[in-house]
Amino acid sequence: MENKMKILICYFSGTGNTRMVVNKYVENLKNEGVETDLYKIESNNFQHDVTDYEMIGIAYPVHAFNAPSIILDFAKSLPECARKRVFIVNTSGEPLKLNNISSIKLRKILKNKGYNVTNEYHYCMPYNIIFRHTDNMAYKMWKTAQEVIPVDCKELLSGKYSLLEDVFMGSFIAWLFRIEHWGGRFNGKRYKVSENCIHCGKCVNICPTHNITLKDGEFHFGKNCLMCMRCSFLCPKSAIKIGLFEKWKVNGTYNFNNANKFEDEVHKNYCKKSYERYFRECEEKVSAVKVNVMQEEDEDEIKNIVKV
Ligand SMILES: Cc1cc2nc3c(=O)[nH]c(=O)nc-3n(C[C@H](O)[C@H](O)[C@H](O)COP(=O)(O)O)c2cc1C
Ligand code: SF4
Ligand code: SF4
């Protein structure tokens, strides 16, 4: 029996965007005949043998131009593994090139353990903090990601290396912004629950670090907050106040499936050029592959005609 290529993708997703992207990877890799295992990092129960896999993927949302601390801690906990190929997948709300620095620390940790980070892919997905993107934008981002992911999967499997462009002083900037790891824990202790709460218990159950406890009707937020926004984003009553960042809170899932032409585009000028560049580059990437496929089909047809 033919041995299938095996890939393990380890991921963290605060509010579901990265998970959507990872699911698309699994679907596309499966179409390419690859067996993909998934590991949800927050489950804290890593039992996979990395030597069983040809490649390891690590996926996360960009937090303050960095990978979340849970990702770095996970990478530190991995066993040493000489030359094991790793690819990184990340999602972020805006398409600024500065987001390219998010993997610097992660790549360093992996390199020190012998891993070989060869590919990195980034997708824009709607914000879960700062402001609410429109559903139109969420629809466009997700549609774009779904078109580009098959192209990226093919590139990954072709063996071609592809890393994101370096940013001047990237390591220093990323180091500065890693204050968010400490700041998140500091701010997380300042979360409060408003009178709108219906005591459904959802936030307590879904927090990836079990940082929320409910005792005698009182909520307690501990010191392990990742600022992942899951609790405040998914609270059915928008009852969680996120400390110093309350003004940036985004509550409620996006509708990724229906563009809504009547929707107000309040932030339409925010990073406008960067979004235009991102969508244009994705479109070019996808159409370049289509042209190649058409050329190959034409060549095959000519060969067949010549044979006849
Ligand atoms: C604490 C925090 C910091 C963030 N920092 C950035 C950032 O530096 N750049 C960016 O483009 N998006 C940033 N975002 C937005 C997320 O990266 C984006 O919405 C991502 O798709 C969320 O993925 P998830 O649903 O898998 O958690 C941040 C989100 C959070 C919660
Ligand atoms: S999810 Fe919201 S409504 Fe439910 S218990 Fe938590 S704060 Fe209250
Ligand atoms: S308290 Fe909320 S924001 Fe903090 S880690 Fe838990 S779910 Fe995420």
Side-chain angles (χ1 to χ4, degrees), residues 1-6 30 32-35 54:
M1 209 175 74
E2 187 200 342
N3 260 350
K4 273 192 175 179
M5 181 186 212
K6 275 180 80 181
K30 193 174 170 203
E32 299 289 335
V34 177
E35 195 180 315
E54 272 84 350

Side-chain angles (χ1 to χ4, degrees), residues 25-283:
Y25 264 77
V26 174
E27 190 184 311
N28 279 281
L29 291 171
K30 193 174 170 203
N31 290 343
E32 299 289 335
V34 177
E35 195 180 315
T36 312
D37 288 342
L38 279 185
Y39 173 66
K40 192 174 177 180
I41 292 175
E42 69 193 64
S43 65
N44 224 353
N45 179 28
F46 189 69
Q47 289 180 347
H48 298 269
D49 180 350
V50 288
T51 59
D52 283 348
Y53 299 91
E54 272 84 350
M55 264 190 266
I56 312 289
I58 300 185
Y60 61 85
V62 175
H63 281 184
F65 307 112
N66 276 282
S69 55
I70 193 171
I71 289 285
L72 301 185
D73 291 343
F74 169 71
K76 285 178 197 157
S77 75
L78 281 171
E80 294 194 354
C81 194
R83 309 302 300 158
K84 179 64 65 189
R85 205 174 150 196
V86 173
F87 64 97
I88 293 173
V89 173
N90 46 50
T91 68
S92 78
E94 80 248 342
L96 293 180
K97 291 268 188 227
L98 198 51
N99 284 313
N100 291 6
I101 67 178
S102 78
S103 63
I104 290 179
K105 180 72 181 171
L106 172 63
R107 281 186 276 146
K108 197 168 168 196
I109 296 169
L110 292 167
K111 191 176 169 206
N112 287 341
K113 291 194 171 239
Y115 293 88
N116 186 16
V117 180
T118 60
N119 297 63
E120 180 169 355
Y121 299 108
H122 163 257
Y123 307 95
C124 257
M125 290 293 274
Y127 271 144
N128 55 3
I129 191 170
I130 303 186
F131 66 80
R132 190 174 182 84
H133 275 115
T134 58
D135 280 347
N136 282 337
M137 188 57 135
Y139 170 82
K140 190 169 177 185
M141 286 176 173
W142 179 226
K143 185 170 175 285
T144 302
Q146 290 182 93
E147 285 165 3
V148 185
I149 290 169
V151 178
D152 291 340
C153 284
K154 277 199 192 313
E155 179 179 83
L156 183 68
L157 298 177
S158 75
K160 187 178 168 203
Y161 291 8
S162 162
L163 292 169
L164 301 179
E165 215 176 280
D166 281 341
V167 170
F168 178 64
M169 305 251 290
S171 297
F172 176 66
I173 303 170
W175 173 79
L176 271 184
F177 275 96
R178 270 202 298 286
I179 192 169
E180 187 263 347
H181 290 174
W182 170 84
R185 288 193 290 273
F186 172 83
N187 185 60
K189 280 182 75 70
R190 278 145 191 85
Y191 280 23
K192 296 258 178 314
V193 172
S194 78
E195 64 283 0
N196 297 339
C197 172
I198 49 169
H199 288 77
C200 65
K202 185 171 183 176
C203 53
V204 176
N205 294 329
I206 60 176
C207 172
T209 57
H210 312 288
N211 197 46
I212 312 172
T213 44
L214 178 58
K215 206 174 162 205
D216 303 329
E218 289 285 316
F219 286 91
H220 174 76
F221 291 86
K223 57 179 171 30
N224 295 318
C225 183
L226 298 169
M227 282 281 286
C228 73
M229 297 302 126
R230 192 182 294 172
C231 56
S232 58
F233 187 79
L234 295 177
C235 168
K237 294 290 170 189
S238 191
I240 298 183
K241 296 187 172 178
I242 58 169
L244 301 170
F245 299 96
E246 179 60 15
K247 287 219 162 73
W248 282 2
K249 183 168 80 176
V250 176
N251 176 258
T253 50
Y254 287 93
N255 182 350
F256 287 96
N257 298 318
N258 282 315
N260 172 359
K261 61 181 175 201
F262 300 112
E263 203 176 22
D264 255 1
E265 295 274 351
V266 184
H267 299 283
K268 64 176 174 234
N269 289 324
Y270 174 82
C271 290
K272 195 170 178 220
K273 286 210 165 113
S274 291
Y275 284 112
E276 283 170 1
R277 178 187 44 76
Y278 171 75
F279 289 123
R280 190 180 57 248
E281 284 177 2
C282 288
E283 220 177 286

